[in-house]
Amino acid sequence: MLNRLYQRAIQLAGSRFATIWLACIAFAEASFFPIPPDILLCPMILAKREKAWYYATICTIFSVLGGLLGWVIGAFLLEYLAMPIVHFYHAEQQLINLQEKFKAYGVWIILIKGLTPIPYKFVTIASGAAHFSLVPFMIASLVTRGVRFFAEAALLYKFGPPIQDFVEKRMIWVATAFCILLLGGLLAFKYI
């Protein structure tokens, strides 16, 4: 079953609408959606390695724009939009802790947490809720998301065929590792 899903993802990654879906997922993940854009970015790069930098650029730009929406949600719509997201993840105390850390560490929170498996929406919403200055937030988001997506693109561009071969031969292990990283990011956020 995983192999069929993987093959389908590779096919979809080569479709003419793949870039639009990548932009939408990158935007949504930075503000409210639980699935990271890597789910589509990786197969897209593996399907068309010559477009790795283009896809990383799309992911970065739309993730930062989605981060702006997350910041707005945190700053102005915390009770109406952000708290249901926070409640969904049972992360009320973590949001409070993150707001306090913004006061102490500011840009460093965005730079470090934007590279981790911690869902980026928590960083964007918490920075808005802490009323962290918008310009440094946007610059730090551009840096951290750019580093993340361009590093991923560089690895897939350089080592694409061996990585693809590894993934295809060890599908269950790769899927398990991805789930562990995602859950680990959520747990790490819970115990910030």
Side-chain angles (χ1 to χ4, degrees):
M1 182 172 116
L2 282 175
N3 198 24
R4 280 191 313 216
L5 288 173
Y6 172 76
Q7 291 303 324
R8 182 69 179 137
I10 291 288
Q11 287 174 343
L12 289 173
S15 79
R16 64 184 185 145
F17 298 111
T19 305
I20 294 168
W21 280 109
L22 179 65
C24 291
I25 291 171
F27 180 88
E29 184 272 336
S31 50
F32 62 88
F33 192 62
I35 307 294
D38 313 75
I39 294 292
L40 193 53
L41 177 64
C42 292
M44 287 177 70
I45 292 174
L46 290 173
K48 295 182 179 178
R49 285 181 37 226
E50 70 280 0
K51 290 187 146 192
W53 314 120
Y54 173 71
Y55 295 145
T57 301
I58 295 294
C59 244
T60 301
I61 290 169
F62 283 90
S63 182
V64 171
L65 291 174
L68 178 59
L69 175 61
W71 188 95
V72 168
I73 289 170
F76 303 111
L77 303 169
L78 186 65
E79 285 303 315
Y80 303 106
L81 293 179
M83 291 316 287
I85 296 168
V86 172
H87 291 313
F88 175 79
Y89 288 102
H90 305 288
E92 295 82 357
Q93 187 59 47
Q94 290 72 26
L95 179 63
I96 293 167
N97 293 346
L98 197 51
Q99 287 173 310
E100 292 301 317
K101 288 185 180 188
F102 267 107
K103 292 176 185 167
Y105 303 108
V107 168
W108 289 106
I109 297 285
I110 299 165
L111 290 172
I112 292 168
K113 296 205 180 296
L115 293 172
T116 66
I118 293 171
Y120 191 57
K121 71 193 80 5
F122 293 132
V123 174
T124 66
I125 291 169
S127 62
H131 295 282
F132 187 72
S133 180
L134 190 55
V135 172
F137 167 77
M138 293 298 288
I139 292 169
S141 292
L142 186 62
V143 168
T144 194
R145 300 313 271 179
V147 167
R148 176 179 167 182
F149 295 129
F150 276 88
E152 196 171 320
L155 288 171
L156 290 170
Y157 180 80
K158 175 118 174 113
F159 303 108
I163 289 174
Q164 188 170 5
D165 186 52
F166 179 86
V167 167
E168 288 172 357
K169 287 182 180 175
R170 295 163 185 88
M171 184 63 64
I172 292 175
W173 291 107
V174 171
T176 302
F178 177 79
C179 290
I180 288 170
L181 279 174
L182 191 60
L183 291 173
L186 289 169
L187 288 173
F189 177 75
K190 188 163 180 68
Y191 297 105
I192 295 176

